[in-house]
Amino acid sequence: MNLSSYGNNTSSVQSFRESFNIVVTKCLSVLSLGLIINFINGTLIHTFRKHEVFYLEPRYILFIHLVVNDIIQLTTAIHLFVFSYIFNKINAAFCCFIITIAILATANTPLNLAVMSLERYIAICLPLRHADLCTIKRTYIVIGWIWTTTLLLALPDLFITVETQPPEFFYSAIVCQRDFLFTHPVILKKRDVSYIIYLVSIWLTLFYTYLKIFFAAKTADADAKKARNTIILHSIQLLLCMLTYIYPFLAKAQLFSIPLSDFLQLHFAIYIIIHILPRLISPILYGLRDRTFRQYLKQYLQCRPPRSKPEQSFVTGHLC
């Protein structure tokens, strides 16, 4: 989602025009990073699809759902970024559609990370119950629950806007940003409250699972320590994703009292940190650190037929 301005900076940012070279550089940088990350994620999806062994492990299913969600989120974020520079204003109905998709994909990521941490907690701290609790069917049910939860967060904004805005609004051209689209006071109050509950719940889940695995790692084998490190990486990724929700509060508090040109550069840096960097962590976390995925991915990149050895390491679920 495009978070280019809040509060008193909104109108100023829209009237300010950067030089052509800066605009081209920013757009090319974002597009290049997006294409690279989506190519890597596409390779991971292809590797997952080609080997049925991944279909039998809940954590890989959750991971590939995260990767698909990252592709959706990154694609919508890049479109919004480029649209803001090329067109400035676009059709409100189309903006409503793409903003809603961006909101859903952005909200899915923290929930998916929390569920993946819970799965690792069960695998390490409740190994005898893991097979019963973390079944394939329940994994897909949880994925459905993730989308249902984010829909409940996003759809009220859409319904309130449709109900309160005149039909002409959806035929008009607007700056495609959430604060220009969803302007009703009820939406803003609901958003603030839901963000707080949402963030606190997810962070409590991560802290709980990390502490449980941390204490288990002192007495258990190396798997617990590797799972602990995985949750640390989940926390770093989640912290970057959470900036999506924290940054608007900071901007509304007018903590960025800096010249407009510097504010735009700061916003671009924050945009990269919020929307690009978290999408880089997922391929590294499972595409490179995970022994099974790394071996299959290496065979795919080297155009070699799959061997049986990775399937043996898959059963143990080791992370390197």
Side-chain angles (χ1 to χ4, degrees):
M1 291 172 290
N2 197 336
L3 303 173
S4 61
S5 55
Y6 290 88
N8 293 334
N9 286 317
T10 300
S11 59
S12 301
V13 169
Q14 297 308 315
S15 60
F16 186 87
R17 288 293 179 268
E18 296 176 288
S19 68
F20 177 78
N21 289 338
I22 293 177
V23 171
V24 171
T25 301
K26 286 184 176 181
C27 289
L28 288 179
S29 299
V30 170
L31 286 171
S32 300
L33 287 172
L35 288 174
I36 292 172
I37 295 173
N38 279 345
F39 173 77
I40 296 173
N41 285 335
T43 303
L44 295 176
I45 294 173
H46 180 79
T47 303
F48 176 88
R49 289 180 59 252
K50 289 296 182 179
H51 305 287
E52 294 184 3
V53 66
F54 293 121
Y55 301 168
L56 305 176
E57 178 63 32
R59 68 194 183 103
Y60 288 121
I61 297 174
L62 289 170
F63 162 64
I64 216 65
H65 172 255
L66 180 66
V67 170
V68 172
N69 188 78
D70 281 350
I71 292 176
I72 297 173
Q73 195 278 337
L74 189 59
T75 301
T76 54
I78 290 174
H79 275 82
L80 289 171
F81 183 88
V82 175
F83 286 165
S84 67
Y85 279 104
I86 296 179
F87 302 110
N88 191 20
K89 294 183 178 182
I90 64 174
N91 178 262
F94 177 70
C95 176
C96 192
F97 170 76
I98 195 169
I99 285 287
T100 302
I101 297 298
I103 292 172
L104 291 174
T106 302
N108 280 341
T109 299
L111 286 176
N112 204 107
L113 292 173
V115 172
M116 293 175 76
S117 298
L118 281 173
E119 189 276 332
R120 286 294 84 198
Y121 158 72
I122 295 173
I124 299 301
C125 300
L126 304 171
L128 298 180
R129 301 189 61 190
H130 183 265
D132 295 329
L133 294 175
C134 300
T135 62
I136 303 302
K137 180 179 179 180
R138 287 182 177 178
T139 302
Y140 286 112
I141 291 175
V142 168
I143 291 175
W145 169 81
I146 291 174
W147 281 94
T148 301
T149 302
T150 53
L151 281 170
L152 292 176
L153 289 173
L155 288 185
D157 295 357
L158 180 61
F159 292 152
I160 293 173
T161 301
V162 172
E163 187 67 26
T164 56
Q165 292 286 1
E168 295 78 14
F169 171 78
F170 296 97
Y171 293 99
S172 64
I174 65 170
V175 176
C176 194
Q177 296 176 18
R178 187 172 184 175
D179 283 351
F180 284 91
L181 183 64
F182 302 130
T183 59
H184 197 279
V186 174
I187 295 177
L188 301 178
K189 292 180 181 179
K190 189 271 298 180
R191 187 189 309 170
D192 292 344
V193 173
S194 62
Y195 278 179
I196 293 173
I197 297 174
Y198 182 73
L199 298 181
V200 170
S201 301
I202 291 174
W203 275 111
L204 287 177
T205 301
L206 254 71
F207 281 132
Y208 176 81
T209 54
Y210 174 77
L211 290 175
K212 286 290 186 179
I213 294 176
F214 175 79
F215 289 117
K218 292 184 176 180
T219 57
D221 57 15
D223 286 348
K225 295 180 180 179
K226 293 169 185 175
R228 180 193 62 190
N229 294 335
T230 299
I231 292 183
I232 291 177
L233 289 174
H234 282 332
S235 300
I236 295 173
Q237 186 176 10
L238 181 60
L239 182 61
L240 293 174
C241 294
M242 288 304 181
L243 292 176
T244 303
Y245 305 97
I246 297 173
Y247 177 64
F249 290 109
L250 298 178
K252 286 179 181 178
Q254 298 183 7
L255 297 182
F256 303 125
S257 300
I258 58 178
L260 185 55
S261 58
D262 294 337
F263 176 82
L264 289 173
Q265 304 311 317
L266 174 63
H267 162 66
F268 180 70
I270 293 175
Y271 174 87
I272 296 295
I273 293 172
I274 290 176
H275 295 290
I276 304 297
L277 289 185
R279 269 78 244 175
L280 274 173
I281 296 178
S282 295
I284 295 174
L285 187 60
Y286 276 89
L288 299 179
R289 288 185 70 247
D290 186 85
R291 180 182 302 171
T292 305
F293 226 107
R294 186 174 67 244
Q295 291 180 351
Y296 275 116
L297 183 61
K298 184 178 179 181
Q299 292 174 17
Y300 167 71
L301 293 176
Q302 294 178 350
C303 299
R304 292 187 298 169
R307 297 177 298 178
S308 60
K309 186 177 180 180
E311 296 190 16
Q312 297 174 356
S313 66
F314 167 83
V315 177
T316 60
H318 289 296
L319 288 175
C320 297

